[in-house]
Amino acid sequence: MKQFVIINSSQVSSVNFNEVMEDSANTLRYNLDGTQTFVKFTGDTPSFVTSETIYSEDEFREIMNNYDNSWEVDPETEEEI
């Protein structure tokens, strides 16, 4: 089961990309003002996750699909979460 964590952009340097589904900082998707991004993982919680909220896929989809949360959603290019 995929789980999701939203992190501040300043935390990207602490992400261990061996523990998440993204390949590198270059593959992360950011919110509209560039202050936050997210990572996906399965299994154990990544070591860099300390006090951040962990979301299920359904919870995360609600956040992403709400434009008021500052995440860009373009139906033409929407990628699979």
Side-chain angles (χ1 to χ4, degrees):
M1 169 167 69
K2 280 191 234 178
Q3 295 181 298
F4 301 78
V5 175
I6 296 172
I7 60 172
N8 292 323
S9 299
S10 61
Q11 295 173 270
V12 169
S13 62
S14 69
V15 173
N16 179 346
F17 287 97
N18 293 319
E19 298 180 306
V20 297
M21 298 175 78
E22 290 73 22
D23 296 336
S24 71
N26 295 331
T27 62
L28 296 175
R29 182 174 161 191
Y30 290 83
N31 65 348
L32 293 174
D33 63 8
T35 60
Q36 292 183 314
T37 187
F38 64 90
V39 293
K40 303 180 286 273
F41 66 95
T42 59
D44 294 336
T45 301
S47 59
F48 62 88
V49 174
T50 54
S51 61
E52 296 80 15
T53 302
I54 298 172
Y55 298 98
S56 69
E57 190 165 350
D58 289 340
E59 291 169 328
F60 190 73
R61 195 173 298 280
E62 281 186 42
I63 293 167
M64 293 300 288
N65 288 336
N66 183 345
Y67 191 79
D68 292 335
N69 287 332
S70 297
W71 293 93
E72 183 174 28
V73 177
D74 182 350
E76 295 291 319
T77 61
E78 185 174 333
E79 65 181 60
E80 183 63 27
I81 299 176

